[in-house]
Amino acid sequence: MASEAPASTSTPTGAATPGPVPSNKPKEVVNDPARTGFDPETKWWMNYFKILSGQVTPEGQFHFREWRYRVHEERDCKRCEDYRDWLFTYSPVVRFMSEKIEALNGRLDPSNVVCRRCPAHLEEDGQVHRQSGGFSPNHGILLCANEVRDRKHLEDTLAHEMVHAWDHLRWKVDWTGDKDLKHAACTERRV
């Protein structure tokens, strides 16, 4: 997600000065080892033992998981790319959706289906927000490498996002809801 730029206000001289930006987004929680029990400066296996023995809070477990995802980002992305390439070659549903998208003058292939690490977000109320993938009409499909459990999970995620791509090409979906919010709701309901 893009961060919001600070709003600017004009001074009598005409120079812009940054002002506060009202944000309706919940505040993200930052790890405090004294509070959570998870210390990123400690060896991973010691933190893991602390989790198993109940010395780490659920918040600390969240931060441990995200920390391990950062450590294994390269490995996870490589595995995701291998799965993705296999699916474009052998998966009936992915090949079917590719053909249908091409029939609408679109193109989805490994060049615009990318694997990246997608950080989760922990809010103050304890809610965790994760995603497995996403579709952007201007960029293609994002597959969240750190959330991929296995090749079948990636196939389901990729097929889901390819349906969004097909909807975009076939029905000219209004993703932002500027004209009709029912468009985005309908494509999620159908998938």
Side-chain angles (χ1 to χ4, degrees):
M1 288 189 170
S3 60
E4 294 180 29
S8 60
T9 57
S10 293
T11 60
T13 60
T17 59
V21 175
S23 176
N24 58 357
K25 293 191 317 189
K27 185 177 177 186
E28 260 190 80
V29 179
V30 178
N31 183 50
D32 175 11
R35 185 182 75 246
T36 66
F38 163 64
D39 183 3
E41 299 300 316
T42 305
K43 300 256 187 224
W44 76 268
W45 59 269
M46 292 175 75
N47 278 305
Y48 188 69
F49 179 74
K50 286 171 65 177
I51 290 171
L52 292 176
S53 61
Q55 299 174 41
V56 177
T57 66
E59 179 188 331
Q61 292 175 27
F62 167 84
H63 291 295
F64 174 79
R65 182 178 178 176
E66 291 302 305
W67 175 61
R68 294 305 291 167
Y69 282 160
R70 283 190 298 276
V71 168
H72 294 295
E73 181 173 1
E74 185 176 337
R75 178 200 68 187
D76 291 344
C77 287
K78 171 74 171 104
R79 181 182 62 140
C80 176
E81 290 166 355
D82 291 344
Y83 287 169
R84 174 203 62 198
D85 294 345
W86 190 92
L87 291 170
F88 270 104
T89 305
Y90 299 109
S91 168
V93 68
V94 171
R95 291 178 63 189
F96 173 81
M97 289 305 301
S98 291
E99 291 170 10
K100 296 304 173 191
I101 289 168
E102 282 180 24
L104 295 172
N105 295 323
R107 180 183 58 83
L108 280 178
D109 57 36
S111 71
N112 58 0
V113 177
V114 297
C115 294
R116 299 286 187 270
R117 179 179 62 85
C118 301
H121 302 284
L122 176 66
E123 296 177 0
E124 287 179 326
D125 64 0
Q127 282 191 315
V128 177
H129 299 279
R130 300 185 184 288
Q131 67 182 54
S132 295
F135 166 69
S136 166
N138 299 324
H139 301 99
I141 292 176
L142 167 69
L143 299 171
C144 297
N146 56 308
E147 297 293 341
V148 172
R149 293 187 301 267
D150 54 30
R151 191 167 61 205
K152 178 63 179 151
H153 179 231
L154 186 69
E155 180 179 42
D156 291 344
T157 302
L158 181 55
H160 175 97
E161 300 307 334
M162 290 177 94
V163 169
H164 290 315
W166 184 85
D167 281 344
H168 176 73
L169 292 168
R170 175 64 180 92
W171 304 110
K172 310 299 184 235
V173 175
D174 174 24
W175 295 103
T176 59
D178 292 337
K179 297 181 183 101
D180 192 351
L181 193 55
K182 292 177 193 171
H183 284 202
C186 186
T187 190
E188 283 299 333
R189 173 75 173 116
R190 190 169 47 77
V191 178

